Amino acid sequence: TLARILEGVSVGAAHDLKTPVSNLAGRLQLIERDLNNPAATKEHIQVAQTHIAALLRTLDALFRLGEVEAGKRSAAFRAVDLSELVEEIGDSFRPVFEEADKTIDVRTTPRIGVFGDGDLLTQLVTNLLENVIEHARDGAHAWIRLRASETHAHLEVGDDGPGLPALNGEDVFERFFRLDASRTTAGNGLGLSLV
């Protein structure tokens, strides 16, 4: 099983890293070709920096995912005000949703605290909201709900879209998995595995 998982991760990583590396190599050739044209060279450098940033995001996500699965991130667990964290994320995403012709509604119960990694909790909610922005139809409505029971915090992030095909229900949480419909959009297929 471990060998199969490792093979899947290796194939997925190779697939998702190949495109930005190839794009970067192409840009470096264009820089060399256009060295005597400062404006073109500057543009090539800016595009190359974008490709490098995409590579670094993919590698960072892989490292974080490995740390989570190995249990190493638990050392960073602290008391986190989840209510405050969720409100801040909602506030920061409102303008992004408006610009994308979508809406977001955030409803929280104040002062819900958890013991966890604030960065990873932020990443969890952010990844889900970015999926709504990227894949939901124009006019879509998203929400975040946070409430507490006696022993648990209940966090719900959703939208009024069609959801995922039942066929792919659990697959979406695998590294590098992407629905065919999303293959033409930017992304590395790591977002939901981190979630």
Side-chain angles (χ1 to χ4, degrees):
T1 301
L2 183 59
R4 183 179 48 78
I5 292 169
L6 186 57
E7 181 183 356
V9 169
S10 300
V11 169
H15 178 268
D16 271 43
L17 296 177
K18 181 179 180 183
T19 300
V21 169
S22 298
N23 289 339
L24 186 56
R27 275 300 153 175
L28 290 173
Q29 289 175 345
L30 291 173
I31 289 170
E32 186 177 41
R33 182 195 74 191
D34 292 335
L35 278 176
N36 294 326
N37 182 343
T41 301
K42 183 177 180 179
E43 180 183 339
H44 296 319
I45 290 171
Q46 289 171 337
V47 174
Q49 288 171 331
T50 302
H51 294 312
I52 291 169
L55 268 171
L56 292 174
R57 280 192 306 273
T58 299
L59 291 171
D60 184 51
L62 283 168
F63 287 130
R64 278 197 319 271
L65 195 54
E67 287 177 342
V68 168
E69 290 174 347
K72 292 181 181 177
R73 287 300 291 233
S74 60
F77 281 16
R78 303 284 182 268
V80 176
D81 185 331
L82 193 56
S83 302
E84 185 178 307
L85 183 141
V86 166
E87 288 287 350
E88 288 175 3
I89 293 171
D91 288 345
S92 69
F93 267 88
R94 269 190 193 88
V96 179
F97 269 75
E98 287 173 14
E99 189 175 308
D101 190 30
K102 297 169 177 58
T103 59
I104 184 168
D105 179 46
V106 180
R107 295 184 192 175
T108 65
T109 302
R111 294 181 299 282
I112 295 178
V114 296
F115 190 69
D117 185 319
D119 291 339
L120 289 178
L121 290 166
T122 299
Q123 188 76 54
L124 180 151
V125 177
T126 298
N127 286 2
L128 293 171
L129 294 179
E130 286 175 347
N131 276 358
V132 174
I133 290 167
E134 189 69 36
H135 302 292
R137 61 174 168 70
D138 289 347
H141 176 70
W143 59 84
I144 306 174
R145 303 281 182 269
L146 176 64
R147 63 180 177 79
S149 66
E150 283 187 27
T151 58
H152 292 83
H154 299 272
L155 176 64
E156 176 185 321
V157 181
D159 66 69
D160 61 359
L164 297 168
L167 185 65
N168 302 115
E170 290 299 314
D171 292 342
V172 297
F173 296 105
E174 296 296 322
R175 290 178 183 172
F176 304 109
F177 180 83
R178 298 185 73 195
L179 294 172
D180 288 339
S182 69
R183 293 229 171 250
T184 57
T185 59
N188 55 28
L190 293 170
L192 288 179
S193 60
L194 276 169
V195 168

